[in-house]
Amino acid sequence: MATIEECRAALEKLSDNMQHAEGDVRTAAELDRSVSCWITDLDVTFVGRMTGGRIVVQDTLQGPPREKAQIRLSMAGDDLVALVGGGLNFAKAWGSGRVKLHAGVRDLLVLRKLL
């Protein structure tokens, strides 16, 4: 099972990858939205903001998200680490329910380029 530190490192790596993206992926990374990522097996939520082509984690909270972020992810810690590391395909994980993504329709259309 992934640790909180490994999950935070995965989010930082995702943020770094977003910052160096090009083309359509860069456009998707440029969204300015509130973000939460609930790590279900650790029962920890990372909350922050997607802005300036990065994800800025502002806080780590115990339990599920307390407020409704504009972009909400939930998954097991191992799945987050595998997604960012390239060992898990987002579309397959999302289709099977291992990863949940909630956002507005417009944001989902833009995010599909990023994910």
Side-chain angles (χ1 to χ4, degrees), residues 13-22 26 29-30 51-55 114:
K13 182 178 179 182
L14 175 60
S15 182
D16 289 344
N17 293 347
M18 288 170 49
Q19 182 128 42
H20 296 100
E22 297 178 0
R26 180 66 183 181
E30 293 284 328
T51 185
R54 295 191 60 83
I55 297 172
L114 180 61

Side-chain angles (χ1 to χ4, degrees), residues 32-102:
D32 185 6
R33 302 286 187 269
S34 59
V35 177
S36 68
C37 182
W38 180 31
I39 308 301
T40 56
D41 56 335
L42 298 175
D43 198 25
V44 168
T45 301
F46 295 97
V47 293
R49 189 142 199 100
M50 180 190 282
T51 185
R54 295 191 60 83
I55 297 172
V56 178
V57 176
Q58 298 166 329
D59 205 357
T60 305
L61 308 170
Q62 193 63 38
R66 296 179 188 148
E67 295 180 20
K68 187 176 174 181
Q70 292 167 303
I71 298 172
R72 300 175 306 283
L73 289 161
S74 61
M75 67 194 83
D78 288 341
D79 289 339
L80 173 61
V81 171
L83 276 171
V84 174
L88 181 63
N89 178 279
F90 178 82
K92 288 181 182 179
W94 181 64
S96 70
R98 285 175 65 178
V99 173
K100 293 185 172 99
L101 170 65
H102 302 279

